[in-house]
Amino acid sequence: MKVLLFGATGMVGQGVLRECLLADDVTSVVTVGRTRVQADHPKLRQIVHEDLYDYRAVESELTPFDACFFCLGTSSAGKTEAQYRRVTFDLTMAVASTLARLNPSMVFVYGSGAGADSSGAGPVMWAKVRGQTENALQKLPFRAVYAFRPGVIQPLHGATSKTRAYRVFYSLTRPLLPIVRKLFPKFVLTTVTIGQAMLNTVRYGAPKTVLEAADIQERSQPPRVG
């Protein structure tokens, strides 16, 4: 499996990158972003690309791939709808429309968020934009598109968020998250769980295109035989 990863420097992306590098059936991982990740591995290649809205200069390096894990995201705090849409909908579609043209047999896995509004018309700005993004992705000619909607995430193996508010939250809740995860294993995920679930979704598919936290937890394990 050849994997393309966007957002590898973020908390979820760090976890997904780790699981991809550990997976025996992943032969290569290419990250795309404005900055390099602090990792070195024989399977890893990095494309440093400044303009995340235009990929004409690097199109030859974006094929062929079996899967794309899109883990880029931003908080809506302090942003207008136009600003949030620019870095959520517009950026995602710039990547996805390019990849759909270059890799129509690819599986595209989009890192969304719990509470995203599938109607794309609700009153909550960020949820509406996320829902609109999910819906637009489903219309692209990929082999398959899946939207992951994790809620609370426990970062493992050194994964850290780039957003200061999230770093403070995880710092304050670090002693509690393992306990909460044991009590509610289907609702508190880890960066490991998300990475394994993304890989398994490409390997085996999934019965639905939008995966909530409980679905992600379930997909983190290989399907039962028999």
Side-chain angles (χ1 to χ4, degrees), residues 161-181:
S161 175
K162 295 172 69 176
T163 303
R164 182 179 182 279
Y166 292 165
R167 291 198 303 271
V168 172
F169 169 79
Y170 288 118
S171 176
L172 294 174
T173 60
R174 184 178 294 116
L176 298 176
L177 281 178
I179 300 172
V180 177
R181 186 160 61 87

Side-chain angles (χ1 to χ4, degrees), residues 140-152:
L140 293 177
F142 288 111
R143 176 160 64 92
V145 174
Y146 299 97
F148 273 41
R149 293 180 176 180
V152 179

